[in-house]
């Protein structure tokens, strides 16, 4: 039983890694512009984390503005959100907590939409977003080489930036202040700018 469980975890990790490579390769294609409810897309994304929430690995609070419409690829919007949430689950825990406390937000913002993911983790070492969004970047060797650490690809944040830019937007990082959350903020124009 332990061997089967270990094999299943290995298969799930490999599947996630291959999925990230495929997602990254897909960002070479022009995004599909569709009129979508960003609110509905991100609400559905939040609901997809039910097993992580039930297991205690994640406490997810949402602040999603209702009826927020957007023109772009809804799959890309969900990829942005899922990569930021996954990053927070793996790296956004405070030292005192078993699971990550994460906030997912969506709001209208200056002619576009703003998606935010906040967590209580230590933040990006040196607050260096430029390095964090570099493909295959792994910023904290001690965290990624320790037993039981997340075996990611280093593509999650690179994928977030690449998708945001394909849609005419970008990602910024707000480092944590004492007793406050770090925040990844993605701004996207209301319509695709290609």
């Amino acid at each position: 039983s332990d061997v089967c469980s270990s094999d299943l975890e290995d298969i799930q990790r490999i599947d996630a890694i291959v999925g990230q490579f495929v997602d990254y390769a897909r960002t070479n294609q022009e995004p599909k512009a569709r009129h979508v409810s960003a609110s509905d897309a991100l609400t559905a994304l939040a609901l997809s984390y039910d097993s992580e929430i039930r297991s205690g690995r994640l406490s997810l609070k949402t602040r999603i503005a209702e009826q927020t419409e957007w023109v772009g690829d809804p799959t890309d919007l969900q990829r942005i959100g899922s990569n930021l949430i996954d990053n927070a689950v793996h790296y956004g825990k405070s030292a005192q907590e078993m699971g990550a406390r994460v906030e997912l937000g969506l709001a209208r913002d200056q002619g576009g939409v703003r998606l935010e993911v906040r967590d209580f983790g230590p933040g990006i070492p040196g607050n260096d977003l430029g390095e964090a969004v570099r493909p295959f970047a792994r910023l904290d060797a001690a965290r990624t080489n320790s037993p039981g650490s997340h075996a990611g690809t280093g593509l999650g944040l690179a994928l977030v930036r690449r998708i945001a830019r394909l849609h005419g937007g970008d990602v910024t990082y707000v480092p944590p202040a004492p007793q406050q959350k770090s925040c990844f903020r993605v701004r996207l124009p209301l319509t695709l700018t290609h």
Side-chain angles (χ1 to χ4, degrees):
S1 174
D2 287 341
V3 172
C4 289
S5 176
S6 175
D7 289 345
L8 180 59
E9 288 174 10
D10 288 344
I11 290 168
Q12 289 171 333
R13 270 194 295 274
I14 291 167
D15 183 55
I17 289 169
V18 170
Q20 273 204 315
F21 280 115
V22 170
D23 284 348
Y24 193 76
R26 279 190 190 135
T27 59
N28 284 329
Q29 302 169 4
E30 286 292 316
K32 298 175 182 99
R34 291 184 18 212
H35 188 84
V36 298
S37 168
S39 305
D40 290 349
L42 291 180
T43 298
L45 174 66
L47 292 172
S48 75
Y49 281 89
D50 184 59
S51 65
E52 287 87 350
I53 292 167
R54 283 187 286 120
S55 74
R57 289 184 55 219
L58 173 64
S59 169
L60 182 61
K61 179 179 174 182
T62 59
R63 293 178 294 109
I64 297 173
E66 294 181 13
Q67 300 178 345
T68 302
E69 301 297 316
W70 178 65
V71 176
D73 188 330
T75 302
D76 283 347
L77 186 64
Q78 288 184 323
R79 282 186 188 131
I80 288 171
S82 66
N83 276 289
L84 291 175
I85 292 170
D86 291 347
N87 189 68
V89 168
H90 295 298
Y91 305 117
K93 295 181 248 192
S94 71
Q96 300 82 11
E97 296 179 291
M98 294 292 295
R101 286 189 296 154
V102 178
E103 295 177 2
L104 171 64
L106 175 71
R108 291 173 196 84
D109 184 51
Q110 301 171 354
V113 296
R114 182 182 69 241
L115 184 154
E116 294 182 345
V117 174
R118 298 173 181 271
D119 66 58
F120 286 90
I124 295 175
N127 299 325
D128 189 1
L129 178 64
E131 181 63 18
V133 297
R134 191 175 53 79
F136 307 108
R138 301 297 302 269
L139 297 180
D140 188 343
R143 191 167 51 192
T144 58
N145 293 330
S146 62
S149 67
H150 171 59
T153 60
L155 284 176
L157 295 177
L159 186 59
V160 168
R161 174 175 265 176
R162 198 167 183 180
I163 292 171
R165 287 183 170 177
L166 279 171
H167 285 275
D170 209 348
V171 60
T172 56
Y173 173 69
V174 180
Q179 304 299 319
Q180 293 191 356
K181 305 164 198 119
S182 61
C183 175
F184 283 96
R185 183 174 294 139
V186 178
R187 284 193 167 92
L188 300 168
L190 282 178
T191 60
L192 197 57
T193 59
H194 290 283

